[in-house]
Amino acid sequence: MLRLYDVEVASRLLLGSARYPSPSILTEAVKASGAEIVTVSLRRESGGERAGQGFWSIIRDLGVRVLPNTAGCHSVKEAVTTAQMAREVFGTSWVKLEVIGEDETLQPDVFGLVEATRILCKEGFDVFPYTTEDLIVAEQLLEAGCRVLMPWGAPIGSGRGLNNPFALKMLRARLPDVPLIVDAGIGVPSHASQALELGYDAVLINTAVSQARDPVAMAGAFAHAVAAGRAAYEAGPMEPRDLAVPSTPVIGKALLR
Amino acid sequence: MQILVNGASREVRAADLSGALEELGYGGAVIATAVNGEFVAVAERTTARLADGDRIEVLAPMQGG
């Protein structure tokens, strides 16, 4: 079981709810993924259309735990206010905190992130910070009150996988007791397996599932990949080396020359 | 009075946020509100007085990654 703040979950796959071809495909994809945590956001609601009300009823019917995000927020003030609004609407103190620093890469503004985290933790939020793989930023986020960290694998929606496995491995080694979730950049199930094999506790995936030709089938593929990656980590992978080592015993080989 | 609701100019008669939301068609909806960039909780909407030119944000659950 994975413990995130005071909640235990069996699934190590967190799923985003955006960019699916239809609401029914979203529903089926969540079920196929086995995810117990689904990310959501807040956007402007029209008094006439009330589109958000329908979406919210779909999510509620799924019976999952929601993780509201502060996507698109570029300042500490915006992110904090969005988190406060999300806590009321979604009835959870959990927040996936995003403070975006740059539009092309959607790279987190880690300075703003630490500042917003400090404010929100004091207000009783359970912050899931979308951060980079930087160890010192991670330490400051923990000092500010986080008990979970979510370093990126690659830019959001890029599908590039783990851009910096070395730094992710180092972060895992330096923070052995902190739940670490790779958030963003995962493109195919093998990327998710890699994150779990490195000892990451979970992955958060959206675009790789929602933009697949068959999102429901891809959600299932990711569920298998995450389970396989975790099982491999627990089984203790071998250390890679540069030169060959014969797997078949050399002793006892016949002399046939 | 004239206020900005989600960036669009709207005319409302109500003097408080709760009344304005009813007037604008948000009755019974699951929404969160902010006035001039500050979060206004559900419990505070009836006492939140509006003034001409106020900027209201009305947000609801939406897809997110």
Side-chain angles (χ1 to χ4, degrees):
Chain A
M1 294 289 273
L2 168 61
R3 192 174 185 83
L4 302 170
Y5 287 93
D6 296 324
V7 174
E8 283 198 339
V9 288
S11 171
R12 293 173 180 273
L13 172 54
L14 289 71
L15 196 62
S17 60
R19 305 182 69 197
Y20 289 82
S22 72
S24 63
I25 292 176
L26 162 63
T27 300
E28 291 310 309
V30 172
K31 288 178 185 166
S33 74
E36 294 161 63
I37 299 166
V38 171
T39 56
V40 291
S41 73
L42 280 180
R43 285 292 178 264
R44 284 173 165 178
E45 180 82 326
S46 149
E49 293 164 18
R50 296 168 64 119
Q53 308 304 305
F55 170 72
W56 184 220
S57 101
I58 289 167
I59 295 295
R60 268 186 309 202
D61 288 348
L62 281 167
V64 291
R65 181 171 291 275
V66 293
L67 175 56
N69 69 28
T70 62
C73 291
H74 284 70
S75 70
V76 171
K77 168 90 171 85
E78 262 186 305
V80 167
T81 304
T82 302
Q84 291 166 335
M85 295 173 88
R87 177 159 64 177
E88 183 180 82
V89 162
F90 295 109
T92 175
S93 56
W94 282 17
V95 64
K96 173 184 159 178
L97 185 60
E98 293 183 35
V99 182
I100 300 299
E102 205 261 339
D103 279 332
E104 291 302 316
T105 56
L106 297 179
Q107 178 154 346
D109 165 7
V110 293
F111 306 99
L113 183 67
V114 170
E115 193 183 334
T117 295
R118 197 163 281 132
I119 295 167
L120 290 171
C121 286
K122 278 190 188 135
E123 291 186 14
F125 282 86
D126 296 325
V127 176
F128 293 65
Y130 164 62
T131 184
T132 66
E133 64 278 58
D134 189 286
L135 173 62
I136 309 308
V137 172
E139 285 177 341
Q140 293 205 10
L141 288 167
L142 295 173
E143 186 269 326
C146 287
R147 285 191 282 147
V148 174
L149 297 176
M150 300 210 298
W152 66 350
I156 294 171
S158 69
R160 291 178 52 85
L162 309 185
N163 264 352
N164 195 346
F166 172 78
L168 287 171
K169 205 171 168 179
M170 191 61 72
L171 193 66
R172 177 72 288 177
R174 298 300 300 142
L175 305 172
D177 302 322
V178 179
L180 297 178
I181 301 171
V182 169
D183 174 16
I186 285 178
V188 287
S190 55
H191 298 154
S193 288
Q194 189 190 4
L196 273 290
E197 286 162 10
L198 288 178
Y200 275 72
D201 294 281
V203 288
L204 200 169
I205 295 157
N206 191 153
T207 311
V209 169
S210 66
Q211 295 292 295
R213 182 168 48 77
D214 182 342
V216 180
M218 190 59 86
F222 269 105
H224 288 302
V226 166
R230 178 65 189 181
Y233 170 71
E234 287 175 351
M238 66 169 280
E239 282 301 318
R241 49 178 292 161
D242 292 333
L243 297 178
V245 180
S247 45
T248 304
V250 175
I251 298 169
K253 184 186 172 295
L255 258 181
L256 302 172
R257 279 176 285 177
Chain B
M1 83 189 101
Q2 206 73 20
I3 57 173
L4 272 179
V5 180
N6 290 343
S9 185
R10 302 291 297 267
E11 175 73 31
V12 292
R13 288 184 303 279
D16 66 278
L17 180 59
S18 179
L21 292 170
E22 277 291 334
E23 237 181 283
L24 293 164
Y26 292 106
V30 177
I31 48 168
T33 51
V35 176
N36 298 328
E38 300 294 334
F39 169 55
V40 179
V42 176
E44 299 163 0
R45 285 182 197 155
T46 48
T47 52
R49 312 300 293 174
L50 295 181
D52 209 45
D54 273 351
R55 291 175 294 111
I56 319 294
E57 290 289 331
V58 185
L59 308 186
M62 201 56 67
Q63 293 86 345

